[in-house]
């Protein structure tokens, strides 16, 4: 969640109106592409600069009580964690970028620095990210940094270590949220013996770097659109509105087939019961030929400067065709747009908006 200072997510009224995973499984997991590209007329664009930040994938924006937005994302070199801050969302486009942590030269956390998220928990800052050993670059796991300074661009980032899950398998894309006083971690991981790359998992937390109790599987790739190129559910993000929790996630290979799915749970339900979560059978946010945006996904949520309007944060490319491995293509750009709400209280993602006519103006 991108909420202020560890505030539990609460329902409210509607607003108006990675990857190449388990690389060796490519041949076994590849399926024929299912045409999913929409061509519907785009909804009126929000007054945001798009792309907001170029060459930054898996974006996460946290609005804090100090009046600033904090931004982090995957750098295409996969070697560092960066932060920006601004008093406005558009201001993140030109805000100075600071490197707050770099990968290790050898050993753990030495390769594939992916998908950082910044969260404020209990008066401290935490960054969750994925990394692999320098000597075994696909043994990717979830790691945590901590900073006790009020300004995360200052102070010292302490390595709190690996988030230990039930298995030592490919795992990434951790996000954390609170609901009714309980903190949860959601993440993507390969389950031993399963014919997929990653499924989505949920667990309660004992502290910001330790899970407690069981971990449950929320979703596994099962629909054709989740299995194009790779069988992937990853990049979860949570928003609570209108008496429900909505968990978005991304699916398929990281090319133009990348898209977003949605899980929904009632706010009164036991979140640790898999039966509490229902899964949309079709993707909720996909590539769009009309607006020229491809592979939208790995989103987060934040709130506009008015404190009420929900904002969708995600990455996409400006072209469909990619030469070579999509992970070697650096042009996944951070984008933002207003998140709408339907009369039934469910999110209206619309389509990825077109580029701003004069980006950076």
């Amino acid at each position: 969640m991108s909420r202020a200072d560890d505030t539990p997510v609460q329902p409210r009224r509607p607003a108006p109106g990675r990857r190449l995973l388990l690389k060796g499984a490519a041949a076994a997991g590849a399926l024929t592409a299912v045409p999913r590209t929409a061509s519907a007329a785009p909804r009126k664009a929000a007054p945001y600069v798009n792309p907001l930040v170029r060459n930054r994938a898996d974006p996460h924006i946290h609005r804090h009580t100090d009046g600033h937005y904090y931004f982090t994302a995957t750098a295409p070199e996969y070697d560092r964690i960066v932060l920006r801050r601004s008093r406005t969302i558009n201001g993140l486009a030109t805000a100075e970028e600071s490197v707050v942590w770099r990968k290790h030269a050898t050993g753990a956390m030495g390769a594939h620095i992916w998908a950082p998220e910044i969260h404020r928990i209990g008066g401290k800052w935490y960054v969750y990210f994925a990394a692999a050993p320098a000597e075994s670059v696909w043994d990717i796991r979830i790691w945590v940094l901590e900073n006790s300074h009020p300004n995360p661009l200052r102070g010292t980032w302490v390595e709190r270590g690996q988030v230990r899950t039930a298995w030592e398998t490919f795992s990434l894309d951790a996000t954390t949220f609170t609901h009714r006083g309980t903190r949860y971690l959601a993440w993507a991981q390969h389950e031993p013996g399963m014919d997929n790359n990653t499924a989505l998992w949920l667990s309660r937390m004992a502290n910001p770097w330790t899970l407690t109790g069981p971990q449950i599987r929320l979703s596994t790739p099962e629909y054709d659109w989740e299995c194009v190129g790779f069988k992937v559910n990853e990049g979860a993000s949570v928003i609570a509105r209108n008496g429900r929790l909505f968990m978005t996630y991304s699916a398929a290979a990281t090319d133009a087939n990348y898209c977003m799915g949605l899980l929904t749970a009632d706010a009164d339900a036991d979140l640790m019961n898999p039966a509490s979560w229902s899964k949309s059978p079709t993707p909720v946010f996909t590539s769009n030929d009309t607006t020229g945006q491809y592979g939208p996904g790995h989103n987060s949520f934040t709130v506009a400067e008015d404190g009420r309007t929900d904002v969708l944060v995600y990455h996409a490319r400006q072209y469909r065709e990619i030469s070579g491995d999509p992970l070697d293509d650096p042009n996944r750009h951070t984008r933002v747009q207003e998140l709408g709400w339907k009369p039934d209280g469910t999110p209206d993602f619309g389509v990825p908006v077109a580029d701003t006519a004069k980006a950076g103006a």
Side-chain angles (χ1 to χ4, degrees):
M1 280 297 297
S2 298
R3 292 288 156 199
D5 201 12
D6 197 25
T7 302
V9 289
Q10 296 291 343
R12 77 176 190 209
R13 296 175 63 85
R18 40 188 159 43
R19 293 169 181 71
L20 190 63
L21 302 185
L22 299 177
K23 199 161 187 175
L31 299 178
T32 302
V34 179
R36 296 182 292 97
T37 299
S39 296
R43 182 170 38 179
K44 184 178 179 182
Y48 293 116
V49 172
N50 273 307
L52 181 71
V53 184
R54 293 181 176 272
N55 306 114
R56 294 291 179 266
D58 314 321
H60 188 261
I61 297 177
H62 172 94
R63 188 186 189 215
H64 186 40
T65 52
D66 66 0
H68 289 95
Y69 289 92
Y70 291 90
F71 166 87
T72 188
T74 301
E77 297 81 8
Y78 307 143
D79 64 351
R80 64 195 185 276
I81 292 175
V82 298
L83 285 181
R84 299 185 185 199
R85 80 169 184 168
S86 171
R87 291 194 175 275
T88 65
I89 293 175
N90 275 341
L92 292 170
T94 54
E96 181 180 358
E97 187 169 273
S98 297
V99 177
V100 299
W101 183 89
R102 291 187 183 275
K103 70 176 184 179
H104 293 188
T106 60
M109 295 179 281
H112 282 156
I113 310 305
W114 282 352
E117 290 198 2
I118 184 167
H119 295 267
R120 182 76 170 175
I121 303 171
K124 296 182 181 181
W125 292 99
Y126 293 88
V127 167
Y128 295 83
F129 66 104
E135 300 80 14
S136 187
V137 301
W138 293 106
D139 289 342
I140 294 173
R141 305 290 187 269
I142 299 163
W143 299 83
V144 184
L145 306 176
E146 179 189 80
N147 189 340
S148 59
H149 198 284
N151 181 353
L153 296 171
R154 299 182 180 179
T156 300
W157 284 95
V158 177
E159 296 172 357
R160 281 296 183 185
Q162 181 183 336
V163 176
R164 298 289 178 178
T165 64
W167 316 290
E168 279 295 318
T169 60
F170 189 100
S171 50
L172 72 169
D173 293 355
T175 192
T176 185
F177 65 98
T178 58
H179 182 62
R180 299 187 172 174
T182 299
R183 178 162 295 282
Y184 298 87
L185 191 81
W187 73 98
Q189 185 165 14
H190 175 68
E191 180 180 2
M194 292 292 287
D195 179 27
N196 62 36
N197 297 96
T198 53
L200 292 180
W201 300 86
L202 185 71
S203 177
R204 297 184 183 96
M205 305 193 78
N207 61 44
W209 58 91
T210 308
L211 305 183
T212 185
Q215 63 180 54
I216 64 163
R217 186 197 317 121
L218 295 182
S219 175
T220 190
E222 57 188 304
Y223 297 114
D224 287 347
W225 55 270
E226 298 178 291
C227 301
V228 183
F230 294 93
K231 298 179 181 180
V232 169
N233 285 177
E234 66 179 15
S237 189
V238 176
I239 187 169
R241 295 288 182 270
N242 313 317
R244 282 166 283 187
L245 274 73
F246 302 99
M247 180 182 290
T248 52
Y249 65 93
S250 295
T254 58
D255 52 19
N257 293 295
Y258 206 53
C259 61
M260 282 166 47
L262 184 68
L263 303 175
T264 304
D266 189 275
D268 294 326
D270 176 8
L271 300 188
M272 292 299 295
N273 180 355
S276 298
W277 296 86
S278 62
K279 182 174 180 177
S280 298
T282 57
V284 295
F285 202 55
T286 66
S287 295
N288 190 276
D289 285 326
T290 301
T291 59
Q293 302 302 322
Y294 300 97
H298 202 120
N299 79 289
S300 61
F301 299 102
T302 191
V303 179
E305 290 82 355
D306 63 9
R308 292 186 52 83
T309 304
D310 293 307
V311 176
L312 177 67
V313 185
Y314 62 98
H315 72 237
R317 290 187 178 89
Q318 297 158 314
Y319 46 85
R320 176 184 291 279
E321 300 301 325
I322 299 171
S323 177
D325 188 338
L327 283 180
D328 295 332
D329 182 295
N331 295 317
R332 292 182 292 176
H333 304 319
T334 294
R335 307 179 61 79
V336 293
Q337 64 192 65
E338 181 178 337
L339 177 67
W341 293 93
K342 298 176 183 178
D344 66 358
T346 60
D348 182 1
F349 295 91
V351 301
V353 297
D355 289 347
T356 306
K358 294 182 179 179

